[in-house]
Amino acid sequence: MGSTGSIGTQTLDIIAEYPDRFHAFLLTANRNVTLLTEQALRFEPEYVIIADESKYAELSANLKGSNTKVLGGAKAIADAMSIADIDMVVTAMVGYSGLEPTIEAIKHGKDIALSNKETLVVAGALITSLQRKSATKIYPVDSEHSAIFQCLAGETHESIRKLILTASGGPFRTFTKSQIEKVSVADALNHPNWKMGAKVTIDSASMMNKGFEIMEAKWLFDVDASDIEVVVHPQSIIHSMVEFVDGSVKAQLGLPDMHLPIRYALGCRERLATDSRKLTVDDYMNLTFERPDLDRFPMLAMAYEAINRGGNIPCALNAANEIAVAALLGEKIRFVDIPKYVRKAIDSAHFIENPTYDDLIATNSEIRAYTSTIIK
Ligand code: MN
């Protein structure tokens, strides 16, 4: 799901790297017909689905005469999760849109290679309880969570003392508050280490991404947020660490290349041999670490607040952030305005301690509408 995005295209690289092992059965995209057409002709999936129905006719015309069936609409994506031939679903779409199809995939016992962290931010309790009742296994694609997953191989849950999530610190790591006041969208999109989609790149610059990753780790590994520490590590070579009860710490290292965690997730923990560039001593001779600064990065502070309040507040935080980031990308607001709008939006949310799925849908649409209104 999300085959034309950054993780989607890199997942197809891995599928192409091991043609005897993997086949792309179904590809979905939001609206990029041109790339989805190219992917369909190259990978010959049984189905393609374009979420934006206004693009259906064009995609259908492009693939006339091929063996790939063409469908349109978000509902078709969720419905397709019941197809028996699908073994694993890679959730690589952007933001809240990942929630419904991920729930459907879990209900049908599909394994998940989880890239869409917003799913766990919005509905971690719901997803986790559904997963416990199903045959689904979740393999993290997010590099930090893949690192923790690798560190936990062969360990018991009782032996974990804390998780240490590393953060690059983004392009504004060394900026003062007054320098951050002046940054442009282009500055925020210029990540020092990782090539990623626009949404997650902006979230990295604000450190919202790291806040979301604390929530993602809490749900994936069943660890209290108070036992998850964030450490800024500008080189992005150590992808995260786990401290155990005996005082020992395991870290996972690698180049900042998303193909690595995707390979480990698709391999279901089996290590697949590759000829891609290896880590050398030049890459790791100068590794440094710093404490995060909540004063310069208020989105990270708001994430801690949302974690402490719980209920539907992380869902509200995500909704407000999605609208604010879209407004920044559309050059309607400045980077430094994001926390101001998100603060107001969270304060407008009415608290629900144990939200149902319908409550989350309502919170998401109310907070989106509210944030859009105050931005205009
Ligand atoms: Mn990450």
Side-chain angles (χ1 to χ4, degrees):
M1 298 194 283
S3 70
T4 58
S6 173
I7 295 295
T9 53
Q10 294 181 83
T11 298
L12 287 170
D13 292 342
I14 302 300
I15 289 174
E17 191 177 358
Y18 308 95
D20 296 339
R21 178 143 184 159
F22 303 121
H23 169 65
F25 181 87
L26 160 66
L27 299 177
T28 84
N30 184 27
R31 55 202 320 273
N32 189 342
V33 170
T34 309
L35 185 52
L36 186 58
T37 301
E38 274 175 37
Q39 292 177 339
L41 294 173
R42 176 169 174 211
F43 288 91
E44 302 182 332
E46 276 69 1
Y47 295 90
V48 290
I49 308 180
I50 189 91
D52 181 342
E53 285 174 89
S54 72
K55 304 277 179 182
Y56 170 78
E58 186 185 347
L59 181 64
S60 205
N62 289 353
L63 294 175
K64 210 175 173 202
S66 82
N67 290 323
T68 298
K69 291 185 200 70
V70 180
L71 301 168
K75 188 172 183 299
I77 297 175
D79 288 347
M81 296 304 120
S82 65
I83 298 174
D85 290 319
I86 298 172
D87 301 311
M88 175 181 263
V89 179
V90 182
T91 65
M93 69 289 277
V94 177
Y96 180 87
S97 66
L99 183 60
E100 194 197 358
T102 304
I103 287 175
E104 286 304 309
I106 294 172
K107 282 184 180 164
H108 290 95
K110 308 303 184 192
D111 285 345
I112 308 267
L114 185 102
S115 171
N116 181 265
K117 70 193 77 178
E118 289 89 343
T119 304
L120 287 177
V121 170
V122 169
L126 182 73
I127 296 279
T128 318
S129 81
L130 280 174
Q131 188 210 348
R132 287 205 191 100
K133 286 180 235 152
S134 81
T136 292
K137 292 192 193 74
I138 298 182
Y139 299 93
V141 168
D142 208 348
S143 60
E144 295 79 358
H145 304 75
S146 176
I148 292 167
F149 194 55
Q150 295 181 53
C151 291
L152 291 177
E155 307 287 353
T156 63
H157 189 261
E158 294 67 39
S159 67
I160 302 170
R161 182 182 283 156
K162 71 177 180 191
L163 308 181
I164 303 163
L165 280 178
T166 53
S168 70
F172 310 135
R173 179 178 62 87
T174 60
F175 281 36
T176 62
K177 267 176 118 168
S178 62
Q179 286 175 308
I180 293 175
E181 287 274 338
K182 294 182 199 106
V183 300
S184 68
V185 190
D187 297 332
L189 283 171
N190 187 22
H191 196 279
N193 303 341
W194 294 97
K195 276 199 193 95
M196 305 179 287
K199 163 73 168 47
V200 65
T201 303
I202 299 298
D203 286 345
S204 294
S206 70
M207 293 198 76
M208 178 79 274
N209 182 56
K210 208 51 55 178
F212 285 164
E213 289 184 352
I214 298 170
M215 302 182 208
E216 184 184 8
K218 165 190 151 83
W219 294 113
L220 277 176
F221 305 113
D222 192 21
V223 169
D224 286 344
S226 56
D227 294 325
I228 304 173
E229 186 180 344
V230 172
V231 176
V232 175
H233 163 49
Q235 297 80 26
S236 298
I237 295 295
I238 292 185
H239 296 305
S240 278
M241 303 181 252
V242 179
E243 182 183 319
F244 296 96
V245 289
D246 63 353
S248 192
V249 177
K250 280 163 88 172
Q252 186 264 338
L253 288 74
L255 292 168
D257 174 356
M258 288 308 296
H259 291 97
L260 277 76
I262 295 169
R263 210 179 267 114
Y264 192 69
L266 264 59
C268 300
R269 277 199 140 143
E270 186 183 327
R271 299 217 177 260
L272 306 178
T274 180
D275 295 326
S276 68
R277 179 165 107 69
K278 311 297 185 292
L279 191 69
T280 69
V281 68
D282 297 308
D283 298 306
Y284 61 82
M285 57 168 52
N286 290 304
L287 300 185
T288 61
F289 304 89
E290 302 160 14
R291 293 186 190 281
D293 182 347
L294 298 184
D295 185 42
R296 286 184 301 129
F297 296 97
M299 298 305 287
L300 184 56
M302 267 190 271
Y304 280 113
E305 179 192 327
I307 290 165
N308 289 333
R309 292 177 69 191
N312 62 335
I313 301 302
C315 174
L317 172 64
N318 177 69
N321 182 64
E322 282 191 33
I323 296 297
V325 170
L328 172 74
L329 292 170
E331 304 202 37
K332 285 184 184 157
I333 65 171
R334 296 174 306 155
F335 179 77
V336 74
D337 295 329
I338 294 176
K340 297 173 190 166
Y341 288 114
V342 171
R343 173 81 265 158
K344 280 188 191 164
I346 296 179
D347 290 344
S348 82
H350 65 279
F351 180 65
I352 304 171
E353 191 172 358
N354 292 303
T356 63
Y357 182 47
D358 289 341
D359 291 332
L360 294 171
I361 291 172
T363 298
N364 177 63
S365 57
E366 282 163 24
I367 297 295
R368 277 170 185 271
Y370 179 81
T371 316
S372 303
T373 309
I374 58 174
I375 282 175
K376 267 175 196 163

